[in-house]
Amino acid sequence: MSDFFNSGWSNYISIITVVGIFACLWLLFSQRTIKVIREKDGSIAEDTGHVWDEDLRELNNPLPRWWMLMFLFSCFFGLIYLVIYPGLGSNPGTLGYSTKSELIQSMEAANNELKPVYDKYMGMSIEEVAADPQAKVMGQRLYLNSCAQCHGSDAGGSIGFPNLTDNDWLYGGTPEAIKTTIMNGRGGIMPSFIQLPAKDIVNVASYVRALSGLTSDSFKATQGEIIFRNNCVSCHGSNGKGNQLLGAPNLTDKVWLYGASQATIIETLTKGRQGMMPAQDKVLSPEKIHLLTAYIWGLSNQKSNMAK
Ligand code: HEC
Ligand code: HEC
């Protein structure tokens, strides 16, 4: 109701509502005087003039009293309700009630209830939190709410969205690196090499496949190595092992963000890739990010948890 641009609609709705209620009261008032008119023999005289089946007359009896009272009560209930609760256009009502404030109150109540729990975990290291069964359940719930839509409900990732359960990291798998990733977000920029001759693209793609031991044309791969030295080592490193400061993936392992086929690598090279991990520091509290960091760290450090 408070979303109206001006008071015009609010007034329009208020007037219709109030006029409607008073019209009901007037209707009731105007019908109140009907009395039962009886014949000398006691039978009811007045009817509506409708006759069915030759002698079945529709009588015009007054409304029953209990019904009149209920009707009156409804009208007055409506009027009182509109005075104390929001209902008349954008008028907030004398109680100042709103569903929004009710939501905020219940959220505050829930936060206050959880605060001691969150505070306890904030005082613990990521490794300790990761080993705590209750924290794991909370972390998983947070994960399913905020992260699963991109990284998958099992955190296994998909094309363009990294697997968070393995030990292969674009930006580093230490508790600090994971927390920085979640708080500030990440954006890896793999530039497009569309300017290179198509032959060079094919050759360097063959070299990339050879780096991780995949079958490729060895002549093309040798040619491609030159292209790689000239264009790619600044980010992917001279040995192709990547650079976590830039989020440039290790090209020598068997883990692929976008795919290992010659066609996919050529697509990566011609179109470029810009994976975006959205920053969470404005969305989630530091306490929740702490729990999530522990949850994510724990996913790929399961064995060390069990050893504790
Ligand atoms: C809109 C999709 C999206 C959402 C939501 C999202 N992520 Fe990501 N995340 C990505 C992408 C894409 C990347 C890879 C960024 C890149 O390619 O540079 C990434 C990267 C990461 C990484 C770095 C992985 C590595 O190998 O270094 C971590 C950790 C991570 N996300 C955790 C989370 C957590 C925890 C959440 C929930 C709070 C979350 N993400 C929510 C898309 C998302
Ligand atoms: C400016 C830094 C930079 C340069 C230069 C660069 N890359 Fe990349 N590359 C990246 C980043 C960052 C990613 C990850 C993109 C993402 O996170 O979405 C990437 C991703 C890739 C991938 C996808 C890997 C996968 O797991 O699917 C391949 C293949 C690749 N680069 C090959 C190359 C080749 C070949 C060259 C040289 C012709 C090159 N890159 C030059 C930064 C760079």
Side-chain angles (χ1 to χ4, degrees), residues 142-143 146-151 160-164 168-173 178 181-182 186-189 246-247 257-258 274-278 280 284 292-293 296:
L142 290 169
Y143 175 85
S146 306
C147 325
Q149 70 269 41
C150 289
H151 292 283
F161 300 103
N163 182 342
L164 303 177
D168 187 82
W169 296 94
L170 293 166
Y171 298 96
I178 295 176
T181 298
I182 300 176
R186 301 280 192 184
I189 296 182
L246 301 168
L257 188 56
Y258 295 100
Q274 287 86 36
M276 270 300 290
M277 159 72 202
Q280 305 293 318
L284 297 171
L292 269 170
T293 305
I296 301 295

Side-chain angles (χ1 to χ4, degrees), residues 19 65 76 78 89 97 105 133 136 148 182 185 192 200 233 256 269 304:
V19 167
R65 187 157 297 264
F76 286 117
Y97 170 86
Q105 268 174 18
K136 198 170 170 181
I182 300 176
S192 155
D200 290 357
V233 290
W256 295 88
L269 288 164
S304 61

Side-chain angles (χ1 to χ4, degrees), residues 262-276:
Q262 180 88 0
T264 308
I265 296 174
I266 289 176
E267 188 185 328
T268 298
L269 288 164
T270 49
K271 293 193 180 152
R273 303 282 190 189
Q274 287 86 36
M276 270 300 290

Side-chain angles (χ1 to χ4, degrees), residues 43-75:
S43 62
I44 297 170
E46 195 186 356
D47 64 28
T48 58
H50 301 154
V51 181
W52 284 279
D53 289 345
E54 292 170 8
D55 59 350
L56 201 55
R57 291 189 300 141
E58 187 182 55
L59 301 180
N60 190 12
N61 278 333
L63 293 162
R65 187 157 297 264
W66 65 266
W67 193 91
M68 297 276 275
L69 288 173
M70 206 175 72
F71 201 110
L72 260 179
F73 172 77
S74 311
C75 290

Side-chain angles (χ1 to χ4, degrees), residues 1 6 18 173 185 224-225 265 303:
M1 282 296 178
N6 57 45
V18 174
E225 185 172 359
I265 296 174
K303 282 187 211 78

Side-chain angles (χ1 to χ4, degrees), residues 126-140:
I126 293 295
E127 289 86 344
E128 285 166 343
V129 179
D132 184 301
Q134 190 198 8
K136 198 170 170 181
V137 173
M138 290 171 74
Q140 184 176 33

Side-chain angles (χ1 to χ4, degrees), residues 160 170-171 187-191 193 196 201 204-205 207-208 227-228 230-236 243 246-251 253 255-260 264-265 268-269 273-276:
L170 293 166
Y171 298 96
I189 296 182
M190 162 73 197
F193 285 90
L196 289 181
I201 298 266
V204 77
Y207 177 70
V208 168
I227 315 292
F228 192 83
N230 291 338
N231 296 285
C232 321
V233 290
S234 56
C235 294
H236 290 283
N243 181 345
L246 301 168
N250 183 347
L251 300 175
D253 59 13
V255 180
W256 295 88
L257 188 56
Y258 295 100
T264 308
I265 296 174
T268 298
L269 288 164
R273 303 282 190 189
Q274 287 86 36
M276 270 300 290

Side-chain angles (χ1 to χ4, degrees), residues 84-96:
I84 60 180
Y85 283 107
L88 273 186
S90 49
N91 171 30
T94 54
L95 284 185

